[in-house]
Amino acid sequence: MSSPLIVARQLTKTYGEFTAVDHIDFDVAKGESFGLLGPNGAGKSTTMRMIGATLQRTSGELTILGKDPEKLGPQIRAHLGVVPQQDNLDGELTVTENLYIYGRYFGLSKKFIKNKIEELLEFAQLEEKRNVKVDALSGGMKRRLTIARGLVSEPEILMLDEPTTGLDPQARHILWDRLFRLKELGVTLLLTTHFMDEAEQLCGRLIVMDKGKIMAEGSPAELIRKYSTKEVVELRFGSEKNAEMAEKLHDTCDHIEQLPDRILLYSDDGETLLSNIMSGGAHPITSLVRRTSLEDVFLKLTGRSLVE
Amino acid sequence: MSIYERTRKGSLTLVDTKRIHRFGALFVSESRFKHMAKWLNGIITQAIANPLLYLLSVGVGIGSLVDANQGSRGVDGVPYLTFLGPALLASTAIQGAIDEVVMPTLQGFKWNKNFFAMNATPLTGKQIANGVYIAALVRVAFTVAIYWILLFFFGALKAGTAWLAIAVAMFAGAAFGAMMLAIAGKVVKEDFFFSILGRFIIMPLFLFSGTFYPTLNNADIPSTNWMDLTALACH
């Protein structure tokens, strides 16, 4: 087995008294699709910036492609494709000009970039927008262009920080399709997200982060199996009655979570549980049986929702 | 499978870090030239119209009044247009350099944040700064060259050493450009700083440092050596 592309040991970043990343350990293997899942402020982006060789760590060890980012930043960045949380495309330039100048920052020849632009426009489905100024593109198009730009140098690792935040559902699905193709191709993907469905779609393995620490690590299916039941029943009794009903239903299931607007009851057989609750005389305003997701894993681990 | 997926070689094969180490700043300059190309007509128009209007209105217009009063003594021993020309050349270089380093720096850190995009590539911060600086100096060289040619056709360049004014103006632009690039990088979030700088430092320098009259007439205000040097070359 080849050595991991990214190795973090006791990786820590502090800002004064505040610890943004707190002694975390993880490895990312070549060709792996690895995710950092957690709410805003969990330390995901800080971790990404340290891996991207643009932020110094406070302590611990970190190697990317076998190199220390604090000593060999440019040599590491030469093999990374970075898609930041906020698009930083050049709004005054056209789609092709953005791809061209970014390719030049990697020292690529004009001839190579010219051919590469055609490939990337096809990949990002932006052929018809090639001569359009970036300022005139939609949010989804800008995001696809930012990803295409990150691929111009054919990086060993593509880093995506919250790749679909702010996009509408259709744009998200187009983007997921593009990223899934890269995953199939064997490009090592490293992404942060606070969307559990995105993590489930794209990540072969992930770490769940909260307050700078790793709460759990594994594949989405492993995490759900380990930390939750197969199904969950969502019941709404109205904000004033939820607490009372949660108390009453406490012994009917494996685990119960009370949220401000609903109660979550965890069970391997949601339909039977719901049927038992209804026959027991409870009358929720709405009820729903659904498959357990990473959101539930996060809730179980931290007692908090991913999006608060 | 898309073409991208079929033709992939990988950055370990494609990216030459030694080349980036050597030429990184020039790649940044190239991107600045792409921006300038968007405003090429404006850049050319400004490079011609600005000196043309200044030389006609102040140099020839006001100059005719000054020369009529001064007679054969002239200003510092030369016609007013000849006195004025080199100072305008230097001040144009200074202003051009300031504009071409401050605006891209604000754009890079604040508006487009494209410095952060550059910083995620193998480029270093030093290469990014040098690239912006080199591009600014190329723009200044173009503007100064146009100005100098117009000064020549206006008959403002008397001495055989007048070509040295180009070099002196370039040094002036380079000095101010380097200083302003450093300042802009530090105070990039303070919009008001650049307004204050323009109104209370750059404009007074332009008005009171010997551009329009000999500094000996105003001994309390120190002269800007760049103006004196360019004048020395041309007179």
Side-chain angles (χ1 to χ4, degrees), chain A residues 77 90 97 100 104 107 154, chain B residues 9-11 19 30 35 121:
Chain A
R77 294 197 298 272
D90 210 320
E97 285 168 338
Y100 173 83
R104 294 294 280 165
E154 300 186 357
Chain B
K9 291 178 190 162
S11 62
R19 185 165 189 255
E30 190 182 0
H35 279 93
T121 71

Side-chain angles (χ1 to χ4, degrees), chain B residues 59-215:
Chain B
V60 177
I62 295 175
S64 63
L65 294 172
V66 174
D67 291 339
N69 281 310
Q70 293 292 99
S72 60
R73 286 176 294 141
V75 181
D76 272 358
V78 294
Y80 186 66
L81 183 64
T82 305
F83 170 83
L84 179 73
L88 288 180
L89 190 70
S91 64
T92 298
I94 290 167
Q95 189 59 56
I98 291 172
D99 290 347
E100 275 300 332
V101 296
V102 169
M103 291 305 157
T105 305
L106 285 174
Q107 191 176 41
F109 278 119
K110 195 173 180 183
W111 301 332
N112 277 346
K113 298 188 184 297
N114 50 13
F115 279 1
F116 296 97
M118 292 180 192
N119 194 43
T121 71
L123 295 171
T124 62
K126 188 176 172 185
Q127 285 174 320
I128 296 168
N130 285 344
V132 170
Y133 186 58
I134 290 166
L137 292 188
V138 170
R139 162 90 192 268
V140 169
F142 171 75
T143 308
V144 165
I146 299 272
Y147 217 128
W148 192 90
I149 290 166
L150 284 168
L151 282 172
F152 177 81
F153 281 113
F154 269 79
L157 305 172
K158 300 293 184 191
T161 55
W163 62 270
L164 283 173
I166 293 176
V168 177
M170 284 302 300
F171 277 126
F176 272 80
M179 184 176 65
M180 287 308 301
L181 183 59
I183 293 171
K186 285 286 180 191
V187 296
V188 71
K189 289 178 181 168
E190 310 296 338
D191 281 340
F192 66 89
F193 173 80
F194 297 102
S195 302
I196 291 171
L197 183 85
R199 289 189 177 94
F200 295 106
I201 297 178
I202 303 300
M203 185 54 75
L205 269 177
F206 176 56
L207 293 175
F208 305 123
S209 59
T211 310
F212 298 101
Y213 49 84
T215 49

Side-chain angles (χ1 to χ4, degrees), chain A residues 6 8 24-29 31-37 47-48 51 157-160 183 187-193 199 202-209 214 216-219:
Chain A
I6 303 170
I24 63 172
D25 296 334
F26 63 89
D27 295 347
V28 180
E32 195 172 14
S33 181
F34 187 82
L36 286 78
L37 179 71
T47 305
M48 289 288 262
I51 295 168
I157 304 167
L158 182 64
M159 299 170 59
L160 304 116
K183 186 180 164 184
V187 175
T188 308
L189 296 179
L190 180 66
L191 68 109
T192 73
T193 183
L202 297 175
C203 300
R205 194 163 61 90
L206 55 89
I207 52 177
V208 180
M209 290 184 75
I214 293 176
E217 181 175 354
S219 71

